[in-house]
Amino acid sequence: MPEFELLPVTAAGTRFVELAEKHAADFAPRVPEADRTATFQTQNLDEMKASGFTSAPVPVEFGGLGVRSVHDLALGMNRLGRTDPSTAIAINMHLSIVWAADFLHRLAKGTDNAAQTEAMAGLLQQMASGLIAAASNTEPGTTMGWPMTEATKVDEGWSLSGRKTFGTLSPAADLVLVSCRTARGDGTYESGFAIVPGGAPGMTFLDDWDTLGMRSSGSNGAVYDGCLLPESSMMSGASWGDSGGVMGVSLGAVTNLGLIAAFVGIAEAARDLAIDLARTRTKQPSGAPVAHRYGIQHAVAEMEADLATCRAHLSWAGRLLDERVANVAPQDLNIQDLYAIQGQFQCSKLVVNRKAIDVVDKALQISGGSGYFSSSPLSRMYRDVRAGPFMQPYSPNEVYEYIGQVALGLPPAIQT
Amino acid sequence: MPEFELLPVTAAGTRFVELAEKHAADFAPRVPEADRTATFQTQNLDEMKASGFTSAPVPVEFGGLGVRSVHDLALGMNRLGRTDPSTAIAINMHLSIVWAADFLHRLAKGTDNAAQTEAMAGLLQQMASGLIAAASNTEPGTTMGWPMTEATKVDEGWSLSGRKTFGTLSPAADLVLVSCRTARGDGTYESGFAIVPGGAPGMTFLDDWDTLGMRSSGSNGAVYDGCLLPESSMMSGASWGDSGGVMGVSLGAVTNLGLIAAFVGIAEAARDLAIDLARTRTKQPSGAPVAHRYGIQHAVAEMEADLATCRAHLSWAGRLLDERVANVAPQDLNIQDLYAIQGQFQCSKLVVNRKAIDVVDKALQISGGSGYFSSSPLSRMYRDVRAGPFMQPYSPNEVYEYIGQVALGLPPAIQT
Amino acid sequence: MPEFELLPVTAAGTRFVELAEKHAADFAPRVPEADRTATFQTQNLDEMKASGFTSAPVPVEFGGLGVRSVHDLALGMNRLGRTDPSTAIAINMHLSIVWAADFLHRLAKGTDNAAQTEAMAGLLQQMASGLIAAASNTEPGTTMGWPMTEATKVDEGWSLSGRKTFGTLSPAADLVLVSCRTARGDGTYESGFAIVPGGAPGMTFLDDWDTLGMRSSGSNGAVYDGCLLPESSMMSGASWGDSGGVMGVSLGAVTNLGLIAAFVGIAEAARDLAIDLARTRTKQPSGAPVAHRYGIQHAVAEMEADLATCRAHLSWAGRLLDERVANVAPQDLNIQDLYAIQGQFQCSKLVVNRKAIDVVDKALQISGGSGYFSSSPLSRMYRDVRAGPFMQPYSPNEVYEYIGQVALGLPPAIQT
Amino acid sequence: MPEFELLPVTAAGTRFVELAEKHAADFAPRVPEADRTATFQTQNLDEMKASGFTSAPVPVEFGGLGVRSVHDLALGMNRLGRTDPSTAIAINMHLSIVWAADFLHRLAKGTDNAAQTEAMAGLLQQMASGLIAAASNTEPGTTMGWPMTEATKVDEGWSLSGRKTFGTLSPAADLVLVSCRTARGDGTYESGFAIVPGGAPGMTFLDDWDTLGMRSSGSNGAVYDGCLLPESSMMSGASWGDSGGVMGVSLGAVTNLGLIAAFVGIAEAARDLAIDLARTRTKQPSGAPVAHRYGIQHAVAEMEADLATCRAHLSWAGRLLDERVANVAPQDLNIQDLYAIQGQFQCSKLVVNRKAIDVVDKALQISGGSGYFSSSPLSRMYRDVRAGPFMQPYSPNEVYEYIGQVALGLPPAIQT
């Protein structure tokens, strides 16, 4: 166990992180084969349901663990990421949506919206009973926030058509939130989410997730071809291109905190492997462990400094999001403040994703070539950790604009 | 006031940081001239004595503010660093020694050493009354830990001879702790500190502090030429070359926390200047503020990310040192743990000092040339902030060995 | 002499570089005082006139050295930069204009423009006789290419009014090329250059060059207040905002090649100082030179790699500009190709300016603190070398757009 | 074809690079399957033999192409690296040995060693007829230069036993140069090379090359178990641990020049793919190609600058090795000079290997996620290009010591 690892800050979070550590140990032996065959690990999901892990953000009153701290939720992903980052990012998708359901429940209560309070309570109870949710946002050929997937009004409710990619966890999902647009009739669009039950006719998950890394995350593409949905399935209202409001901006940060935590987990595991190698591997002519060599010590120090940067940022960002988002009554959140908080969080995401890559890269260097073999976990880690910078919203292709604009006091408006 | 600045974590620290902010504002107008003429600011010291700032780490029972949190002490340096980093690093020297006196007082009490408890209580009371202390460690021609300055036993007590550099604050000091060695008679040496009263015969402070930056910190060289000291002036016992034991390692980290906090202060101020410039400076042909330009936004984002890294590390390191050093009973500290903590802290020091430089560099870039003029505070900040990596112990010339060795589980043993 | 320094590729260039080395040695002793007092070194200019150095690009037939290779011209700046970078960037301004006069002479001949051929021949002969030229492009409040300084048609010819900054060498100039605009009468503008003789009424050079570094380059601001010029003084024709055409783009690259070469000179000198320090400075307890320490060796290696990058880029860029610009008949140059060449050159400029800074920074680190003193040339070098990234056209605030656009096959159009 | 690609500098090299471009095009379609199955491409080797490519460094008089310029040989690897880097590094191994045979032939002639002249002439003729050679240096459990594989004197000649890794191309080799040691009888060892014919009894190539990248280079491990060799099979004489003398140091640099050139080829191809993607891929809501987005332009510019650094270094290093090694009579080479040249070359190797990785990383970023799919060549390139830093001699674990030591005028003596 790393001596300077991050520790949870709430009691509920402590229980959650303990579960994460147990699951991480259980999942570990299945990772090499899952990686080789790019197979989603249904068994992992079953075990996480059985332990109550998947309902962690559900309030205790509804049968969950009551983990509201996003810092602590992220630490769970961190522990999973050390052995099985594909599963970490998959379950992070679900946990973020559960967290959002609790957020909406608190918002409804805080604004005396009885119907929505009841609806969200019901959803949370389902989630406590094992319902798994996923989201499907990314879409080829358009920019985040401008979905081309469209829900058209029909007699039965809505007909949804379009195409999505990077649908992490979606094959196993009991419901999928699909970002889409609806025509207003005046040539403009609203955007929102269609709630699509798993197995709905007209929804097809492709089996196309064959990638460099994160190979068992099940992030398949999906095709919606006249998928019929009941009237109540649309959560809409924002203008097409809007940033998602208080809820959307909050969730964008919260989801990504779990992701970067998983990448820090990869970095921690790579670091430990490299240190262990250096301490135990001896070389002639001295016969001493390579740890005694100055060049190795220097590389280790660079790795340590980068890992410390990862942890410092994760801690910083986790406490920031707890203080300014999770522990604030949802109705008191302010969109301008959230833009600034998102800007600050994106700094952490940017740095952590890069430095986690650097840590694994340095661990490979320290391995002296042995880590380059497929049989070494380091070679998998090097492929997995590279997924970090792609995560939406705001890959490095867009994030500098976002951060710069909000730091300069301008409204965030990334070029499209 | 920066929106994401670090805040104190203790009540005493909150008072201290408020004082720091007031002093910082008061000192600001004198900085340009002090920088130009490389003049130590005695007036600043007088004001800090008068406010009780200089006795902050003295326990309340002895008349101080009772700030034991090194996180909060560092935040005071951070606030000073925003306007007057020379004064920040000068007073940090004194405050670290006061903190050490309290540490030794607590250690003496914790180990039932009545004489030492009383002695340290007396010293703390003097400090509460305005006594200013400095240390003189750095020495040309030798390695940290191996002082060549030597105290020789004489009838009156000790005769001290040698030469020191980088004696920050020492000209204003009422007492100076001078690292030195004493011969054991068997060809080996002990090392320790001689306590030299300000103005002692045989001690001469040179007026040689004319440097690239930090020009009013009064970090003059000193010559000790048969400086006679009473018997009780020597704190010795360690072998020559030892790392300083629990006290030395702790103090090495604590002192540097204040230093890196001051450098973060420079970075914060430079960032604010650059943002302000970009928001207010317009350019033809559009006539819009340069903040609207993508290139500026990108540069600002890089600056923000680096500043976030500085703050995340400062927060991380401050909490680490509070939890594992300041809030631990001194007698319970373990030297092996302290090596690991020092290794971790040195990661933060390494990263913060470099990233603070990068922030100022980027602020210069954003200024478009105006910051290169002597009349701009940015040009001073660029010179001041470069001092960071030189700070001992463990400049970048040595720190990789230290970090690497302790991470690899080896005893720290930097090549000499 | 560095073992891997760049060497000239033409015979004329070899003579020029020899002169540069002699001047560099002669100027060296005056640098510290010139830096301290921010004084332009008229004596240096006189010596360079006397030696024929200032007329190097003038063809031999007109009395010059006939150095057309911009690679070799840059190497002259490189040698000067090792001891006196302020003088290097000052004389580079003049030499670039002389090179441009030869370019225009060759263009006039190549296009059978007899009048212009004769005019340029006359100018080149004046330059061979010691005429010194400067340019004044940078202007507060507007973007490069959109001068607000305006020449208005009057009976006597033109009346020029406006304000300029960063007028390197201009105080000593016998003629100054002032970028300006002229109204077309339809609300649009042409842009071009006004040729203003030194000492013209209405032209005032300020004495405001007091900066972080490059303090003796005489880069003062200038005010043009109804400065009357004869009809023939205007070289105009381009639309306001144009990039300068074949001549302008070529000259932009050529001028900057000399500048980056001077910054490489600073880096080379800093490297040599640091190596020398490390080899000669011994430290206790071993008493060995610090060169024997791994940490120093590692830092030296990083410095060497960065310096090698500087030299590789300088060599690459110099040969590129010789092959594709200097050795091509001016009338055969194509603006689209020049955009691509400029994009490629700007990569070299970007990297060299940053890596030269890094080399000096590392030399400071290796110095262990001694380089931070004002008495060390390293502290001057650290201030001087930071000027590099400000150089126009295309500071880091704009250059990424330029490079990206031309690499993507788009017309360069930096956001204004 | 990249507009700023490096071009050969000799006529023989020009022919060689043309062949390389043809082979690169022919090999391209087979790469995805070779990568997937980690299969050495015998067909590629056959085609390169048939074209005369494999005998390029053989002098024309012996039936080769007469390519002595290592700059030009490296450019051939560069072209192959653009489509098939595994084949590039495999054939580079052979070509380096052919180059070495010519070097030894010239040395023998230059030193009037008739027997060796004849022997080498014979070897070169065999090589012109298609003989393929490989080397087997890397060995687990020991440091480069200290082979533990040992040749023992027996009646038949020598008996060779030991274990090797990273035996690039060796499965296809007609002869393998195996670094080994021989006992002197006084407890010390000589080190040298055993020449082992392909298929020799007691030599077993493992089929264990299953790695992150470079999967079809056939870099299998080998076991030597009492492999009997004739008396004449040993080239020995140096002390165990020696750096390899003039020949060894020269060859170490020459071999690696081809390797870094191949990695630059990967970077060039990744860059072209990313540029092409950005120019052709459109996104809603604007419908414009993503090339129009500032964020993409910025990322492209960073990629361009890194690629320019790769090319500048490759050009610099290639010309350096031609001028100071390949074009010098072997008997005039000086080991001290070669250490300095090796130090300089290692700077280029260090920078190029890292920057080539950075270029591919940036290309992945620009791809926006599409490059992360196994079906994209970018995902293979990302795996292949990471092999660079492992290449011996002097990985980043050791190279800083080497460079630092020779720059400081110390004998290279990497810690073992």
Side-chain angles (χ1 to χ4, degrees), chain B residues 54 63 71 82 90 96 103 143 159 163 205 211 227 246 289 367 381:
Chain B
T54 53
H71 175 277
R82 292 177 188 169
S96 301
F103 180 97
T143 305
S159 169
R163 194 183 162 85
F205 283 110
T211 46
C227 179
V246 165
S367 84
M381 291 168 181

Side-chain angles (χ1 to χ4, degrees), chain C residues 60 76 99 274 304 392 403-404:
Chain C
V60 174
W99 187 91
E304 288 291 291
Q392 287 193 316
I403 297 171

Side-chain angles (χ1 to χ4, degrees), chain D residues 15-53:
Chain D
R15 172 69 186 129
F16 177 69
V17 170
E18 285 167 3
L19 281 178
E21 291 177 349
K22 187 187 174 326
H23 286 309
D26 293 343
F27 300 166
R30 298 193 285 268
V31 168
E33 179 68 6
D35 173 58
R36 203 179 58 73
T37 58
T39 308
F40 183 77
Q41 298 296 290
T42 305
Q43 182 179 354
N44 293 356
L45 205 68
D46 292 342
E47 293 177 15
M48 290 187 285
K49 280 189 204 178
S51 75
F53 190 79

